[in-house]
Amino acid sequence: MQPLTGVRVIDVTQIMAGPFCTMLLGDMGADIIKIEKPDGGDDVRRSGPPFVAGESATFLNIGRNKRSVVIDMKRPEGAEIVRGMARDAEIFVQNLRPGRLEGFGLGYENIRAVNPAIVYATITGFGRTGPYKDKPGFDLMAQGLSGIMSVTGHPGQPPVKVSVPITDLNAGLFTAYGILAAYVNRLRTGVGQHVDSSLMEAGVAYTMWESAIYFTTGRSPGPNGSAHQISAPYQALPVSDGYITVGGANQRNWQRFCRAIDRTDLISDSRFENNAGRMANRPALEEELGKTLTTQPAAHWLTILEEAGVPCGPINDISQVYADPQVIARDMVVEVEHPTAGAIRNVGIPVKFSETPGSIRRPPPRFAEHTEEVLGEFGYSPDEIDSLRSQGIVKTLQDV
């Protein structure tokens, strides 16, 4: 048993934000019925390279714990099949271009008409209201509009996006959180509702430090490289063989840091005697620390700083991440057996439960793999499925 065992989710999502949301729900045990378009399905299947057995590596992670059903929702008969599925589901998630599903008769009002208790979630670029509500959304644009790119990178350099699609992923995460809150309310009251989130809002919500500075001072913070907006030193610092991270974010840790690296002179230096001074004189602070830290490699300093109780750490590349003993101990890489790709590795589940742990129960589905299985569960006979196939309304695995 997982926390969401028995909860049925109709998943009409593609690319990243929506599929990430439904992946999270699937990891917690929900039955994710992924509705895909006939002409190749979810575009992320073809987003690569690299590809493994014809699927993108991204899909082989984000597609897990889902069943693939191919239905042409543009056709009235196809839309009717999806409405019938929604009648017997608890949750419906979509992130198609604004107005797209409404045009098929599959918007919130259409689905609520057949299932008033449904929790219907929409992820868009900018939300369902406001002057930008009809604009398509992409992570790059959302990072720019939300202010994230204005504080990422180094001073005086061109704007830099966060390399991971942070507004996509966080929109999916926020929507999953909203769905679960709405589902708890449904369990109490029997009433469903529309959950509405966006990439833009996911970006703005993550500017907590920067927004607080603006609200208080009227000043828009700028980029600081790896440094913090209000504390110093709290950043990546150079060593002889690269960089390490150091968190001297309060006076006690600052003094521990100076003693550990044998630079007690910095404690009494008037420029650095408190956090305000260290922030005001950060270039000079970085220069002084660099003089000492670049004399030894990362392993030397990390050992010394950890023994002194100073927050610190390495800067791992992705291969080093999955060799890290703590990452391994927390099961953050999981091997899954795929019917055509063989053994594949997936990013693990980042939330642990003592009694009802999440799990990766299904490998990412092959395109149309579960059409017959799922339609059969919703009462369609083999003859009816064959008729729908012959009309091109659905596709099954044997059609692709």
Side-chain angles (χ1 to χ4, degrees):
M1 291 287 290
Q2 284 82 47
L4 297 180
T5 295
V7 176
R8 181 175 281 165
V9 178
I10 307 302
D11 173 3
V12 188
T13 69
Q14 62 173 355
I15 308 297
M16 187 57 69
F20 186 66
C21 172
T22 56
M23 185 202 79
L24 296 174
L25 300 176
D27 287 351
M28 295 299 112
D31 177 19
I32 309 297
I33 299 173
K34 183 174 179 61
I35 310 297
E36 299 196 70
K37 59 190 178 184
D39 57 339
D42 188 340
D43 289 343
V44 82
R45 286 183 180 272
R46 300 177 296 281
S47 298
F51 291 94
V52 181
E55 300 282 13
S56 75
T58 303
F59 182 78
L60 290 176
N61 268 257
I62 206 168
R64 70 196 192 201
N65 286 333
K66 301 175 185 181
R67 296 193 284 171
S68 172
V69 179
V70 176
I71 302 174
D72 188 350
M73 295 180 292
K74 297 178 184 177
R75 304 270 294 273
E77 302 90 339
E80 182 56 35
I81 294 172
V82 177
R83 279 192 293 273
M85 291 179 171
R87 186 179 293 112
D88 295 320
E90 286 76 30
I91 297 165
F92 190 110
V93 187
Q94 66 111 329
N95 74 328
L96 272 60
R97 181 166 49 83
R100 184 75 167 163
L101 277 193
E102 287 79 0
F104 301 155
L106 296 171
Y108 173 57
E109 296 300 333
N110 307 111
I111 300 303
R112 186 175 69 162
V114 300
N115 184 354
I118 197 83
V119 174
Y120 186 108
T122 303
I123 307 173
T124 59
F126 303 96
R128 293 176 56 246
T129 58
Y132 302 161
K133 64 182 177 62
D134 296 322
K135 287 186 176 184
F138 296 89
D139 174 74
L140 176 64
M141 287 78 221
Q143 286 201 36
L145 188 146
S146 66
I148 289 176
M149 287 179 67
S150 76
V151 294
T152 305
H154 292 271
Q157 297 297 311
V160 176
K161 70 181 284 292
V162 179
S163 184
V164 300
I166 194 167
T167 66
D168 268 330
L169 296 174
N170 285 317
L173 180 61
F174 283 134
T175 302
Y177 146 77
I179 286 169
L180 296 177
Y183 185 64
V184 169
N185 184 69
R186 168 196 156 127
L187 294 176
R188 287 199 304 246
T189 67
V191 178
Q193 59 186 298
H194 195 166
V195 176
D196 169 25
S197 192
S198 72
L199 277 63
M200 178 206 70
E201 288 160 292
V204 172
Y206 264 56
T207 63
M208 197 62 65
W209 286 110
E210 293 75 13
S211 292
I213 291 169
Y214 169 71
F215 293 154
T216 304
T217 68
R219 176 178 63 85
S220 293
N224 289 312
S226 66
H228 200 280
Q229 292 286 359
I230 64 172
S231 298
Y234 188 90
Q235 62 194 92
L237 292 170
V239 293
S240 67
D241 60 348
Y243 288 83
I244 61 172
T245 55
V246 175
N250 58 45
Q251 197 67 11
R252 183 182 302 136
N253 280 331
W254 161 244
Q255 293 176 359
R256 285 176 180 163
F257 178 40
C258 292
R259 294 188 186 103
I261 65 173
D262 198 24
R263 288 298 305 272
T264 55
D265 60 299
L266 298 178
I267 296 175
S268 57
D269 191 314
S270 61
R271 298 172 296 172
F272 312 134
E273 62 184 356
N274 55 39
N275 185 64
R278 294 191 293 275
M279 286 293 294
N281 295 285
R282 191 165 60 206
L285 175 66
E286 293 171 356
E287 182 180 358
E288 288 295 332
L289 295 175
K291 290 177 184 177
T292 299
L293 295 176
T294 54
T295 64
Q296 296 289 344
H300 171 84
W301 292 120
L302 291 175
T303 298
I304 287 176
L305 294 176
E306 286 176 1
E307 289 175 352
V310 178
C312 63
I315 297 177
N316 289 337
D317 64 24
I318 298 300
S319 67
Q320 292 168 324
V321 169
Y322 291 111
D324 189 287
Q326 185 64 20
V327 174
I328 295 169
R330 294 294 290 174
D331 297 321
M332 284 309 295
V333 59
V334 179
E335 193 166 277
V336 181
E337 192 66 30
H338 188 275
T340 57
I344 58 174
R345 287 187 293 174
N346 266 224
V347 178
I349 299 172
V351 180
K352 275 58 175 183
F353 291 76
S354 64
E355 307 301 326
T356 57
S359 66
I360 301 177
R361 304 170 306 286
R362 293 178 178 271
R366 290 171 290 172
F367 181 56
E369 179 178 353
H370 302 99
T371 301
E372 291 179 273
E373 175 182 296
V374 171
L375 290 181
E377 292 175 6
F378 282 93
Y380 288 85
S381 70
D383 287 344
E384 288 172 317
I385 295 171
D386 282 342
S387 175
L388 292 167
R389 285 181 57 219
S390 67
Q391 299 173 69
I393 295 167
V394 306
K395 281 186 177 181
T396 66
L397 195 56
Q398 58 190 303
D399 300 316
V400 298

